[in-house]
Amino acid sequence: MTVTEFTTTTQAQTVTSNGLVILNFSADWSKPCNQMNAIFDQLSTQHPSITFAKIEAEKVPDVTEKYEVASVPHFIFLNGGAIVDQLEGANPQELSKKITKHSQLKSATPAPSSSSLSVASSSSSSSDLNTRLEKLLNFAPVMLFMKGTPDAPQCGFSNKICALLKENNIKFSSFNILADEEVRSGLKTYSNWPTYPQLYISGKLVGGLDIVKELAEAGELKDMVPSQKETLNDRLEKLINLSPVMLFMKGRPEAPQCGFSNKIVDILQKEKIKFNTFDILTNEEVRQGLKTYSNWPTFPQLYISGKLVGGLDIVKEMQES
């Protein structure tokens, strides 16, 4: 079955009440969306009994708001008109897995909505989380918590705030809150600010897109930025010490993006070692800088108490001994 593209609310309403339907909320400016669209098209040919539909999130805002879609790509699974599952972010393997699972279900009874995100450090106390958040906020003089990365934003607001900072020649680092549910949820409470993106300068919350836009238009934003004397190595040291056991990997523990990262996560979980992670695919500055800082050219990299242990081979040797 080919993918149906909805451009109006009426079109969406006519199909979402019938059988199993998968809605792909997308945006043409997003690279991850373009990549997932191609995979979505391919999967539609493999499951002809399912209705596959693509929706330009910003062109049909009432449908986007109805399903509470805050970032793209975002996939909503409907059965009999009810939400039975969803997937947020560009994760081809998880999308294929969910489609296969739902295609095999014989019953059309709606099931509880499930989350595609889990966190390795979910047992952390609130004080531990606040300490971690404070270190993240101060990782760079200008720190942006956004959906996606500056090169591949996953929501329109994040895209616009990145453009504003670049237009004003403000150097900033970013954290992809889609890669870490603990940070995503915790920062809302910590900052008492319910939405993203969030911009911090010198560890203090400035606000979201609207406030940053007003400051830029008034010529005040640049004046808020301190002279950036802190080096990249200083910032990497802060990041390495975010947690007693810190793993720099490709992807997230629940969705590793390389085999080596997958294996080292499996070892740590089997040994019941509590750890936090940083997805080096979300920040190119950290990815390249850490190679030089540690004199270790590959990932994953495991740190304990701020000291480099090594990669998968060394961790495996330690486990076997």
Side-chain angles (χ1 to χ4, degrees), residues 232-233 236 284-294:
L232 174 59
N233 281 357
L236 291 173
E284 189 64 19
E285 183 182 38
V286 171
R287 181 179 184 176
Q288 298 303 330
L290 197 57
K291 291 180 183 179
T292 303
Y293 177 91
S294 64

Side-chain angles (χ1 to χ4, degrees), residues 20-21 23 154 230 264 272 278:
L20 183 59
V21 180
L23 302 179
Q154 293 191 38
E230 190 178 45
I264 200 168
K272 297 182 179 179
F278 186 92

Side-chain angles (χ1 to χ4, degrees), residues 67-81:
Y67 292 106
E68 299 183 347
V69 174
S71 65
V72 291
H74 194 125
F75 302 88
I76 300 289
F77 292 69
L78 302 172
N79 198 343

Side-chain angles (χ1 to χ4, degrees), residues 89-294:
N91 190 332
Q93 291 180 336
E94 189 67 17
L95 178 62
S96 178
K97 189 186 301 182
K98 284 179 177 289
I99 291 174
T100 299
K101 180 186 76 172
H102 287 284
S103 69
Q104 294 172 346
L105 292 176
K106 295 181 180 179
S107 172
T109 304
S113 176
S114 64
S115 172
S116 63
L117 295 175
S118 61
V119 183
S121 56
S122 58
S123 60
S124 299
S125 68
S126 58
S127 60
D128 289 339
L129 176 57
N130 284 346
T131 299
R132 184 182 175 213
L133 290 173
E134 287 171 5
K135 290 180 179 179
L136 276 176
L137 298 179
N138 289 281
F139 173 66
V142 181
M143 194 70 191
L144 178 65
F145 291 80
M146 61 180 289
K147 293 181 178 180
T149 64
D151 293 332
Q154 293 191 38
C155 81
F157 299 120
S158 293
N159 185 43
K160 290 174 183 176
I161 201 168
C162 284
L164 270 174
L165 293 171
K166 291 174 182 177
E167 287 169 8
N168 284 272
N169 296 315
I170 295 175
K171 185 178 179 181
F172 66 99
S173 286
S174 66
F175 186 91
N176 179 8
I177 52 96
L178 298 180
D180 193 317
E181 181 63 19
E182 184 180 49
V183 171
R184 180 181 184 175
S185 299
L187 193 58
K188 291 180 181 180
T189 303
Y190 179 93
S191 65
N192 195 27
W193 195 273
T195 59
Y196 290 98
Q198 294 183 17
L199 182 70
Y200 291 77
I201 295 179
S202 299
K204 304 297 183 183
L205 175 67
V206 175
L209 174 61
D210 290 341
I211 291 177
V212 172
K213 189 176 179 181
E214 288 176 7
L215 290 167
E217 290 173 349
E220 299 174 7
L221 186 61
K222 285 185 178 181
D223 295 337
M224 299 175 65
V225 179
S227 57
Q228 300 186 13
K229 297 178 181 178
E230 190 178 45
T231 66
L232 174 59
N233 281 357
D234 292 333
R235 299 199 298 274
L236 291 173
E237 285 182 9
K238 290 180 181 179
L239 199 54
I240 288 166
N241 287 282
L242 277 178
S243 173
V245 181
M246 193 71 190
L247 177 64
F248 292 81
M249 61 180 288
K250 293 181 179 179
R252 312 184 302 277
E254 69 275 10
Q257 297 295 309
C258 79
F260 299 120
S261 292
N262 184 47
K263 290 176 182 177
I264 200 168
V265 166
D266 186 54
I267 290 173
L268 293 172
Q269 290 177 339
K270 283 182 178 178
E271 296 295 326
K272 297 182 179 179
I273 295 173
K274 182 181 173 183
F275 64 100
N276 274 310
T277 66
F278 186 92
D279 180 1
I280 52 95
L281 298 179
T282 68
N283 191 312
E284 189 64 19
E285 183 182 38
V286 171
R287 181 179 184 176
Q288 298 303 330
L290 197 57
K291 291 180 183 179
T292 303
Y293 177 91
S294 64

Side-chain angles (χ1 to χ4, degrees), residues 8-82:
T8 67
T9 304
T10 303
Q11 288 176 316
Q13 289 174 337
T14 59
V15 72
T16 53
S17 60
N18 298 317
L20 183 59
V21 180
I22 304 173
L23 302 179
N24 171 13
F25 288 86
S26 181
D28 54 15
W29 48 261
S30 168
K31 291 181 182 178
C33 283
N34 293 333
Q35 294 167 355
M36 290 301 291
N37 287 343
I39 294 166
F40 193 68
D41 289 345
Q42 183 180 359
L43 289 170
S44 72
T45 65
Q46 300 171 12
H47 300 275
S49 62
I50 301 174
T51 300
F52 288 74
K54 177 174 171 287
I55 297 175
E56 279 290 323
E58 294 176 349
K59 293 181 180 178
V60 194
D62 47 350
V63 178
T64 302
E65 291 173 8
K66 175 183 177 182
Y67 292 106
E68 299 183 347
V69 174
S71 65
V72 291
H74 194 125
F75 302 88
I76 300 289
F77 292 69
L78 302 172
N79 198 343

